[in-house]
Amino acid sequence: MYRIDFNKLRFLICDDNPHMRRILRTLLHSFGAREVYEAEDGATALEMYTHYVPDIVITDWSMPIFDGLELAQMIRQPESNGNPYAPIIMLTAHSEKRRVTVARDAGVTEFLAKPISAKGLYQRILNVVANPRPFIKTKTYFGPDRRRNTSTTYIGPERRVGGEMEVVQQPSLLEKARSSI
C-alpha cells in the first residue's frame, strides 16, 4: 500500500457556483493539496488549463460560456495546448445513465454525482492517480479507454468497432504523487 502526496499534484476546479468551488478547494486542501486553481466558467477554465497545466481537472457539467462537457472535449484534442491526458472528473447533480455515457464518450475519466462527499472525491482522485486507464485513439475518439473491464473475449453489443485504434499509455501521475511513507 502507498499513500498519495497531494502536495505534489496541481488541480483545476471549474464550477460556476462559488460555494461548490470553496467546498472542493477545502476538501483538496484537507487532503494535502496546495496548488488548486479555480475557474467560474468553461472559457476561463480552458485558459487556466493551458497556462497552469494541471494534473487533474474537476469540472461541473452545467456552466456558462461553455459547459464541462465542452471543456472535456477541448482538453481531449490531441493537438491542443496543454496535456490532453489529464484526468477529468465530472461533477453533476444529474447522474442518469445517459449523462454518464455522454460524459464518458466526451473523454471524461471519472464521474461524481452531487452532493459530493470527501470519500467519493478522494476515491475518484485515487483511482485516476493509482489506476490510470490507457488512452484510445481512433478516427472518432481520443480519451481514456471507456471500458472498465478489458476482456479480449467480449463479443457483446458494445464491442469496439470502427476500424483501427491505437492504445496510448499516458504519463502516470502515480510516480509524481507517490508519498515516501
Side-chain angles (χ1 to χ4, degrees), residues 8-75:
K8 297 178 181 176
L9 296 174
R10 194 171 324 152
F11 293 87
L12 173 60
I13 297 170
C14 185
D15 198 308
D16 58 331
N17 184 324
H19 302 296
M20 182 52 85
R21 287 196 311 269
R22 187 176 63 238
I23 290 168
L24 289 165
R25 180 181 63 241
T26 302
L27 287 173
L28 291 172
H29 283 279
S30 74
F31 298 157
R34 294 295 160 247
E35 281 191 78
V36 179
Y37 303 99
E38 298 177 35
E40 65 280 349
D41 59 64
T44 305
L46 189 60
E47 284 180 32
M48 294 178 87
Y49 180 77
T50 57
H51 184 262
Y52 294 110
V53 191
D55 296 307
I56 298 173
V57 176
I58 302 170
T59 183
D60 186 26
W61 186 309
S62 300
M63 296 180 295
I65 304 184
F66 51 83
D67 61 26
L69 199 61
E70 293 166 313
L71 176 64
Q73 291 167 333
M74 287 184 240
I75 288 172

Side-chain angles (χ1 to χ4, degrees), residues 32-163:
R34 294 295 160 247
E35 281 191 78
V36 179
Y37 303 99
E38 298 177 35
E40 65 280 349
D41 59 64
T44 305
L46 189 60
E47 284 180 32
M48 294 178 87
Y49 180 77
T50 57
H51 184 262
Y52 294 110
V53 191
D55 296 307
I56 298 173
V57 176
I58 302 170
T59 183
D60 186 26
W61 186 309
S62 300
M63 296 180 295
I65 304 184
F66 51 83
D67 61 26
L69 199 61
E70 293 166 313
L71 176 64
Q73 291 167 333
M74 287 184 240
I75 288 172
R76 291 291 182 242
Q77 297 301 315
E79 65 280 346
S80 68
N81 293 333
N83 175 14
Y85 300 102
I88 301 170
I89 300 172
M90 176 70 71
L91 303 177
T92 184
H94 306 282
S95 58
E96 302 87 15
K97 183 178 179 183
R98 177 188 59 79
R99 281 193 177 244
V100 174
T101 302
V102 168
R104 178 201 68 187
D105 291 347
V108 169
T109 314
E110 290 287 338
F111 200 87
L112 185 58
K114 291 179 182 179
I116 67 165
S117 68
K119 180 180 179 181
L121 180 62
Y122 188 86
Q123 282 302 123
R124 297 317 185 286
I125 294 169
L126 185 63
N127 203 32
V128 300
V129 171
N131 302 313
R133 288 180 285 168
F135 268 55
I136 303 297
K137 184 175 184 177
T138 67
K139 291 178 185 174
T140 59
Y141 176 77
F142 176 76
D145 192 340
R146 295 177 278 198
R147 301 169 303 172
R148 295 281 181 173
N149 301 318
T150 54
S151 169
T152 57
T153 60
Y154 179 76
I155 56 171
E158 295 198 4
R159 174 116 178 109
R160 183 178 286 127
V161 295

